[in-house]
Structures are given as structure tokens and as C-alpha cells.
Amino acid sequence: MKENRFKRAIAEGRPQIGIWSMMREPMVTEMLGQLGYDWILLDCEHTPNDEPGVMAMLQALSACEIEPMVRPSCLNVAEIKRLLDVGARNILVPYVQTVEEAELAAAAVAYPPEGIRGVSSVSRATDFGAEPGYFTKAREEICLILQIETREALDRLEEIAAVPGIDGLFIGPADLAASLGHPGNPKHPEVHAAITDGIARIRAAGKPAGFLSPDQALLEDVVKAGCTFTAVDIDLPLLRRGALARLEACKHFKG
């Protein structure tokens, strides 16, 4: 099986720079995959993406050096199973708040007897049956990341981090800001402090820490706090900002 370089890198504490993708377009995904980022997140939580769309984007990335990560819509065992079967190896589960939810997520990515992932011998993940060792080796190359994005999850962070099978934790700034009483304002001092403290606590618990923000100043602070895998922007807002900048630069053409 192909080695999961992203999983190895974060386990060894080597920083990984990523980009977030909301656009359901394999050609855009392929272009982003060629830019030199270490990882890309394909989002199913806040987009209309589904398993067939994700598979098409994974196929578009198959010749790229980048490591794809996929975020399911929620902690849904059946959806996670389908994403794994179409070839996802790095899974980011959103909105995990309890030890029990963390344990369910860990079970969802492992075959019995350790977990509850359903078995298919002819999936894309198994090279359509050509990889006979997949079922015994798959979990070694699957990376499971959980999102910590509420006050309750922060309160239980160390307990969640201690659940066997968790490969890393990711602070979600938007939902965390809302949970702390500051919706739409991740720059609020209370939220900023909770983010940097959460990153430091994740590292102190012995896990790699992840984060997403297009805010360069905030990114600098979370990296100083110990963030290991950092998504530095999102494709859709990047496109919007670029298009607006070009419009502003050319408005004088209209007189």
C-alpha cells in the first residue's frame, strides 16, 4: 500500500501546510493539488459534496504529490465507510464533543474486531480487489482527525485526545467562536485565547494539532502555539477575493 505521508509527517511533528476546498470541481481540485501544498481538505460538511463527487476529486489528485483529507458531513459511520471505500485515507470528523463520540469515530475507520467498518473486497480503496493485504494494513495508513469546536469539547480535550485510534485534533474556529458567544467573530480575544490554548493543550496531550484560517496574524499565533498541520486559506473565498481585486483594478475603464 502507498504510504500516507501526511500521517507520518504529523506524527513526527513535521509542519504541513494545507488548503481548504469547498468547490465541487475536479479540475480545480487537480490544479490546487499541483501547487505544492502538503494536504488539501475536501469538504462535505458545508458544501453539496457527496461520495461520488469526492471520488472524482480523489481521482483528479491521484497523480499529485498532495495528500487529500476528507471531512464528512457529520459523525456518520455509514458515510465515513463510503468515503473510505472510494479512497479517502485522511478523515476529519467535525463537531466531536465527547469521549463516546471519539470512540465511535475511531471504530468507524477500523475493521472488526477493533472497529465496525464494513468490509468490501472490490472497492476503489482495495484497488478493486488487487491489494490482498488491504484489510490487515489499511488502518496503519488511515489518519483520523477529530474537530474540537465547542466549549464542551475544549473542556474534555485531554480525555478525547486519549482515546485510542485518534491521530490528531483540529481546532475549528468558526463554531468555537459561536460556542463561546461570539458568532462570526473568531478574532475576539476570548476566542483567540481559547484557540491558542487549545493548540498548546493538544500538543501537551501528545497529539498533532491542526487549524484553518485565512488570517495571517492568527496563523502566526497558532503556529507559535504548536500547530502542526495548518490550512492557510479556502478556495472559494480565494476566488472571490481575486475576482473582486481584478474588478476594482479595472473599474476605471468605465470612466
Side-chain angles (χ1 to χ4, degrees), residues 1-2 55 58 81-89 111 117 120-135 138 142:
M1 291 178 60
K2 183 180 178 182
M55 183 174 71
L58 292 173
K81 172 182 62 179
R82 288 166 60 85
L83 291 170
L84 291 170
D85 281 352
V86 300
R89 301 197 300 170
Y111 287 120
R117 179 184 174 187
S120 170
S121 60
V122 291
S123 66
R124 181 171 182 269
T126 68
D127 285 337
F128 308 102
E131 176 50 72
Y134 179 83
F135 303 105
I142 291 170

Side-chain angles (χ1 to χ4, degrees), residues 66-77:
I66 200 168
E67 281 284 353
M69 183 184 299
V70 182
R71 180 166 71 170
S73 60
C74 61
L75 175 51
N76 180 319
V77 172

Side-chain angles (χ1 to χ4, degrees), residues 9 20 22 27 66 69 72 93 95 99 117 126 140 142 154-155 157 170 172 183 199 201 226 241:
W20 211 261
M22 299 181 68
M27 189 162 64
I66 200 168
M69 183 184 299
V93 180
Y95 221 77
V99 168
R117 179 184 174 187
T126 68
E140 296 175 17
I142 291 170
L154 279 178
D155 290 343
L157 189 152
F170 184 99
I199 294 289
R201 287 170 60 198
R241 291 199 303 271

Side-chain angles (χ1 to χ4, degrees), residues 53-220:
V54 168
M55 183 174 71
M57 289 186 283
L58 292 173
Q59 289 170 326
L61 292 169
S62 61
C64 303
E65 293 297 315
I66 200 168
E67 281 284 353
M69 183 184 299
V70 182
R71 180 166 71 170
S73 60
C74 61
L75 175 51
N76 180 319
V77 172
E79 182 183 1
I80 291 171
K81 172 182 62 179
R82 288 166 60 85
L83 291 170
L84 291 170
D85 281 352
V86 300
R89 301 197 300 170
N90 301 290
I91 299 290
L92 175 64
V93 180
Y95 221 77
V96 173
Q97 299 190 80
T98 67
V99 168
E100 292 74 19
E101 289 174 347
E103 291 173 339
L104 180 60
V109 301
Y111 287 120
E114 290 79 15
I116 57 174
R117 179 184 174 187
V119 177
S120 170
S121 60
V122 291
S123 66
R124 181 171 182 269
T126 68
D127 285 337
F128 308 102
E131 176 50 72
Y134 179 83
F135 303 105
T136 58
K137 299 175 183 176
R139 186 60 187 90
E140 296 175 17
E141 304 303 334
I142 291 170
C143 184
L144 176 64
I145 309 294
L146 305 184
Q147 275 195 259
I148 302 295
E149 44 190 338
T150 65
R151 187 189 298 273
E152 293 75 15
L154 279 178
D155 290 343
R156 305 182 184 107
L157 189 152
E158 285 77 13
E159 299 170 56
I160 292 171
V163 171
I166 306 306
D167 297 301
L169 297 177
F170 184 99
I171 299 290
D175 281 296
L176 181 59
S179 178
L180 295 175
H182 309 287
N185 188 14
K187 294 184 179 182
H188 189 280
E190 182 185 5
V191 182
H192 185 283
I195 289 169
T196 53
D197 180 64
I199 294 289
R201 287 170 60 198
I202 292 168
R203 295 304 303 274
K207 296 295 182 182
F211 189 71
L212 159 70
S213 179
D215 184 327
Q216 188 65 29
L218 181 54
L219 289 175
E220 299 286 351

